[in-house]
């Protein structure tokens, strides 16, 4: 955690910033002494602390260095407002429990599509896949905090797990542990189902998560996070879960149908919308460290229009897929009932895209849309199977 000079009584190494050897020695002395409150020493240390800053292995000069220093010494209004937030709220934000819908929705939709195709479902397989997926999402959240901490993007993010516990190494170790255990669960499920295609799809989804945030790739810093998110949680994960549930129901080769492909695209769109809206309140920090998120490139006003067009495209595609009979009519109807939630997302972002405090909630409105839309999509498939028991979609790819 970056030390609060002149005020706090014990210092910890600033793990996300690399410094010259001279500063490292001075900082080590200060760390050993601890509890220093001398204003003259603190002011000297602060000047020395910001003299040489490296981000991602590259020394930062000029405007980017001054911007990073400014963000730390003079946080914006939104950050200043968060000084009043309770520890319980910060813990809740750090856990990001609503975000775990991105693990639940692809699995539920994939399972419902398998049930539509086979009429069978394995509760044991569902629980195993859900547990493993939750562990993988935990790895994504923790490692994202670690690597954003390394670059300085989370310098003022109070709910960052690294900032809260004060240890980058422990956070990274926990993240890797979750990744290892979660991957073992997915491999086990794939072996039980005897489906190699599902294993390859899940490996592709995890790879998307890795290159999204981890060095040396960090593709999220190039504005490629949303396409990776779409692929990982849409076509890759949703289709893989469909195959795994089909494999667990004693069907030797479950075909990849137009229904599962259509459903996976819709799941990918709603998931990517969550990520896109999570950038609105992070623009100053992203700019300071050179993170070229879509909103850094286009600004909040254009970003609000992108959200509007994305929601319109989501429901337009839904009706088109329903007309083409790629989706069951029940899924189309139930998903259409979530239209007020989609309208709420659009209006909230449009009204508050310039308010750095209120716009923080945009991603949570998107989470609600994602969860409701996914539940409606899955419920429609189950209802179709229960009602008709016939008319299964013809496979378009095997």
């Amino acid at each position: 955690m970056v030390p609060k000079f002149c005020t706090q009584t014990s210092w910890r190494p600033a793990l996300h910033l690399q410094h010259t050897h001279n500063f490292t020695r001075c900082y080590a002395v200060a760390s050993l002494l601890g509890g220093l409150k001398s204003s003259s020493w603190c002011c000297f240390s602060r000047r020395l602390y910001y003299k040489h800053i490296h981000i991602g292995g590259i020394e930062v000069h000029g405007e980017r260095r001054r911007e990073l220093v400014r963000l730390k010494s003079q946080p914006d209004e939104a950050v200043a407002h968060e000084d009043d937030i309770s520890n319980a709220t910060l813990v809740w934000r750090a856990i990001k429990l609503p975000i775990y819908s991105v693990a639940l929705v692809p699995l539920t939709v994939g399972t419902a599509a398998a049930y539509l195709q086979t009429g069978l479902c394995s509760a044991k397989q569902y629980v195993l896949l859900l547990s493993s997926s939750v562990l993988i999402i935990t790895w994504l959240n923790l490692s994202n905090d670690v690597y954003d901490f390394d670059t300085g993007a989370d310098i003022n993010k109070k709910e960052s797990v690294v900032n809260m516990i004060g240890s980058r190494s422990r956070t990274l170790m926990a993240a890797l542990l979750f990744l290892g255990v979660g991957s073992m669960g997915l491999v086990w499920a794939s072996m039980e189902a005897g489906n190699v295609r599902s294993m390859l799809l899940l490996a592709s989804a995890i790879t998307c998560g890795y290159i999204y945030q981890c060095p040396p790739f960090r593709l999220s810093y190039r504005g490629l996070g949303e396409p990776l998110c779409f692929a990982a949680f849409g076509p890759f994960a949703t289709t893989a879960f469909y195959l795994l549930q089909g494999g667990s129901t004693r069907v030797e080769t479950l075909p990849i149908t137009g229904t599962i492909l259509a459903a996976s695209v819709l799941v990918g769109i709603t998931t990517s919308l969550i990520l896109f809206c999570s950038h609105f309140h992070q623009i100053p920090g992203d700019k300071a460290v050179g993170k070229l998120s879509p909103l850094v490139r286009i600004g909040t006003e254009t970003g609000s229009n992108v959200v509007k067009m994305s929601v319109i495209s989501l429901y337009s595609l839904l009706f088109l897929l329903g007309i083409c009979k790629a989706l069951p009519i029940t899924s189309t109807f139930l998903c259409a009932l979530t239209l007020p939630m989609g309208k709420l997302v659009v209006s909230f972002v449009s009204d508050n895209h310039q308010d750095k405090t209120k716009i923080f909630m945009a991603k949570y409105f998107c989470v609600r849309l994602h969860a409701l839309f996914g539940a409606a999509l899955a419920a429609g498939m189950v209802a179709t199977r229960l009602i008709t028991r016939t008319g299964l979609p013809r496979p378009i790819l095997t």
Side-chain angles (χ1 to χ4, degrees):
M1 184 182 299
V2 178
K4 296 181 180 179
F5 294 96
C6 311
T7 57
Q8 69 182 41
T9 58
S10 63
W11 293 359
R12 296 180 182 181
L15 294 171
H16 67 300
L17 300 176
Q18 302 172 7
H19 315 282
T20 61
H21 293 297
N22 289 335
F23 175 75
T24 303
R25 287 195 291 270
C26 292
Y27 191 81
V29 172
S31 300
L32 290 173
L33 291 175
L36 291 176
K37 297 182 180 179
S38 169
S39 60
S40 60
W41 168 253
C42 290
C43 293
F44 166 75
S45 299
R46 185 167 185 162
R47 289 195 299 272
L48 185 60
Y49 184 83
Y50 289 117
K51 185 176 181 181
H52 294 281
I53 298 178
H54 292 69
I55 296 178
I58 302 175
E59 186 171 1
V60 178
H61 299 281
E63 291 298 327
R64 284 182 63 188
R65 183 180 69 83
R66 287 192 289 272
E67 180 67 13
L68 189 60
V69 175
R70 184 195 68 77
L71 282 174
K72 180 57 188 172
S73 59
Q74 298 178 356
D76 58 31
E77 295 179 2
V79 174
H81 174 75
E82 290 186 352
D83 288 338
D84 299 329
I85 295 178
S86 65
N87 288 333
T89 301
L90 289 178
V91 171
W92 172 257
R93 288 185 178 182
I95 294 174
K96 301 184 178 91
L97 188 59
I99 302 298
Y100 284 86
S101 66
V102 300
L104 181 63
V105 169
L107 174 58
T108 303
V109 171
T111 300
Y115 180 77
L116 174 65
Q117 184 72 23
T118 66
L120 299 172
C121 176
S122 171
K124 176 184 175 182
Q125 188 84 326
Y126 184 91
V127 172
L128 174 60
L129 291 172
L130 179 60
S131 302
S132 301
S133 299
V134 166
L135 294 175
I136 296 295
I137 299 302
T138 305
W139 160 69
L140 283 172
N141 289 335
L142 291 179
S143 59
N144 186 62
D145 280 359
V146 169
Y147 297 121
D148 277 350
F149 183 78
D150 287 344
T151 63
D154 282 355
I155 195 169
N156 282 320
K157 187 178 179 182
K158 295 181 179 295
E159 67 269 21
S160 167
V161 175
V162 181
N163 286 337
M164 292 181 69
I165 70 174
S167 175
R168 174 194 184 278
S169 58
R170 281 185 291 174
T171 305
L172 182 58
M173 288 177 61
L176 294 176
L177 178 62
F178 285 126
L179 173 62
V181 177
S183 298
M184 289 173 58
L186 294 178
V187 171
W188 183 13
S190 298
M191 292 178 64
E192 280 197 340
N195 196 304
V196 178
R197 290 181 299 171
S198 63
M199 193 178 300
L200 294 175
L201 287 170
L202 289 173
S204 298
I206 294 175
T207 300
C208 286
Y210 184 87
I211 63 177
Y212 163 79
Q213 60 190 353
C214 301
F217 305 100
R218 298 187 190 276
L219 296 187
S220 62
Y221 281 66
R222 301 179 185 179
L224 299 176
E226 282 70 18
L228 290 171
C229 180
F230 171 85
F233 293 98
F236 289 157
T238 306
T239 306
F241 292 141
Y242 161 79
L243 293 172
L244 287 175
Q245 277 289 2
S248 66
T249 57
R250 300 183 302 278
V251 177
E252 292 185 2
T253 303
L254 193 63
I256 297 180
T257 66
T259 298
I260 185 57
L261 292 178
S264 68
V265 168
L266 296 176
V267 170
I269 292 174
T270 56
T271 310
S272 300
L273 195 58
I274 298 174
L275 179 60
F276 184 85
C277 287
S278 69
H279 296 308
F280 274 100
H281 70 288
Q282 297 176 337
I283 292 177
D286 289 345
K287 281 184 177 179
V289 299
K291 184 176 182 179
L292 300 177
S293 69
L295 287 169
V296 169
R297 295 175 183 271
I298 65 178
T300 60
E301 184 173 358
T302 303
S304 66
N305 292 329
V306 170
V307 171
K308 180 179 180 180
M309 293 306 301
S310 297
V311 173
I312 292 174
S313 299
L314 173 68
Y315 287 97
S316 298
L317 184 59
L318 169 70
F319 293 127
L320 178 62
L321 292 171
I323 293 172
C324 296
K325 297 184 178 180
L327 287 177
I329 187 63
T330 48
S331 290
T332 305
F333 173 75
L334 291 177
C335 288
L337 296 180
T338 67
L339 191 56
M341 190 67 234
K343 183 179 179 181
L344 178 60
V345 170
V346 172
S347 60
F348 180 83
V349 173
S350 178
D351 294 341
N352 301 290
H353 65 88
Q354 292 183 327
D355 190 321
K356 296 178 182 179
T357 302
K358 290 183 179 180
I359 198 60
F360 176 85
M361 290 299 298
K363 63 181 178 181
Y364 292 109
F365 283 108
C366 292
V367 168
R368 296 178 192 177
L369 173 62
H370 173 67
L372 289 173
F373 196 94
L377 194 59
M381 295 180 189
V382 173
T384 297
R385 179 74 195 200
L386 293 176
I387 294 171
T388 64
R389 301 279 181 175
T390 58
L392 299 182
R394 295 180 61 187
I396 64 173
L397 181 66
T398 59

